[in-house]
Amino acid sequence: MATIFSHGIVAIALGRCLGYSGYSLKLWVWSVLCSILPDVDVISFAMGIPYEHVWGHRGMTHSLFFAILLSLLVVLGVFRHVPVGSRNWWKLCVYFFLVTASHGVLDAITNGGLGIAFFAPFDQTRYFFPWTPIEVSPIGLNGFVSARGAQVLVSEFFWIWVPVAALLAALQVWRSRRMPGLGKT
């Protein structure tokens, strides 16, 4: 899996790309929460659920079905003031779906684990992308605060953080050229 830092960075970048820069702190907090929530499935280890089970790590909570359900729950529960079915409501649903689904996408480009059950509960096949350059993060705090954890952060810096920063910079340049005065403070 990628670290919670990278999942959060990607969530915020998605929001910026979709034009959510002026929204409330509530949107950003829920964005980060939705981006890291799929890893709640690590509790399955303590419950004796095998890794490869649909409720095991990188199973159901990493699926696109889970991303749909979570996005609907967040928009209906947290953004109640947005009229159901309105353009803004749908935009928020799609945004939170993308934020949640990005978790599985990032994990599918790591070099460890059993893959991601993108289509659970309908299909329990686990998938990786053909290209897996990101070092898989150790599970647990002890593994993370080690030389291995530092190696993972360096990998994520080059494969996630730098490309995200470049994308956001390019988007800012494009928007400022398209709408002069936008980039000025």
Side-chain angles (χ1 to χ4, degrees), residues 104-106 108-109 118 127-132:
V105 170
L106 282 181
I109 57 176
F118 283 116
Y127 298 90
F128 278 108
F129 288 114
W131 185 59
T132 56

Side-chain angles (χ1 to χ4, degrees), residues 7-184:
H7 288 301
I9 286 169
V10 168
I12 291 169
L14 280 168
R16 302 277 303 176
C17 288
L18 293 175
Y20 283 121
S21 59
Y23 274 67
S24 69
L25 179 62
K26 176 171 67 171
L27 179 114
W28 300 113
V29 167
W30 279 97
S31 298
V32 172
L33 286 174
C34 286
S35 76
I36 63 176
L37 191 62
D39 274 339
V40 72
D41 64 10
V42 297
I43 64 170
S44 64
F45 293 125
M47 297 167 60
I49 298 171
Y51 193 129
E52 64 277 0
H53 190 276
V54 71
W55 290 105
H57 184 49
R58 291 182 166 185
M60 185 64 167
T61 62
H62 285 60
S63 72
L64 298 173
F65 182 73
F66 178 81
I68 290 169
L69 291 178
L70 184 60
S71 66
L72 289 171
L73 287 172
V74 168
V75 176
L76 287 169
V78 178
F79 296 90
R80 289 185 286 257
H81 63 283
V82 179
V84 174
S86 68
R87 185 174 193 266
N88 206 26
W89 186 85
W90 281 109
K91 187 178 175 184
L92 284 168
C93 286
V94 168
Y95 169 63
F96 283 108
F97 166 77
L98 291 173
V99 164
T100 306
S102 74
H103 186 107
V105 170
L106 282 181
D107 283 3
I109 57 176
T110 63
N111 62 6
L114 299 179
I116 309 304
F118 283 116
F119 305 108
F122 311 106
D123 175 13
Q124 295 182 35
T125 305
R126 304 282 182 121
Y127 298 90
F128 278 108
F129 288 114
W131 185 59
T132 56
I134 301 170
E135 292 292 324
V136 69
S137 179
I139 296 174
L141 187 59
N142 289 339
F144 188 73
V145 291
S146 66
R148 174 89 180 107
Q151 185 181 21
V152 167
L153 287 176
V154 168
S155 171
E156 289 184 4
F157 176 79
F158 286 109
W159 292 111
I160 299 172
W161 304 359
V162 169
V164 164
L167 171 68
L168 290 176
L171 185 63
Q172 181 64 30
V173 168
W174 180 74
R175 284 181 176 161
S176 65
R177 289 188 178 170
R178 201 169 139 231
M179 296 175 267
L182 180 69
K184 298 177 183 170

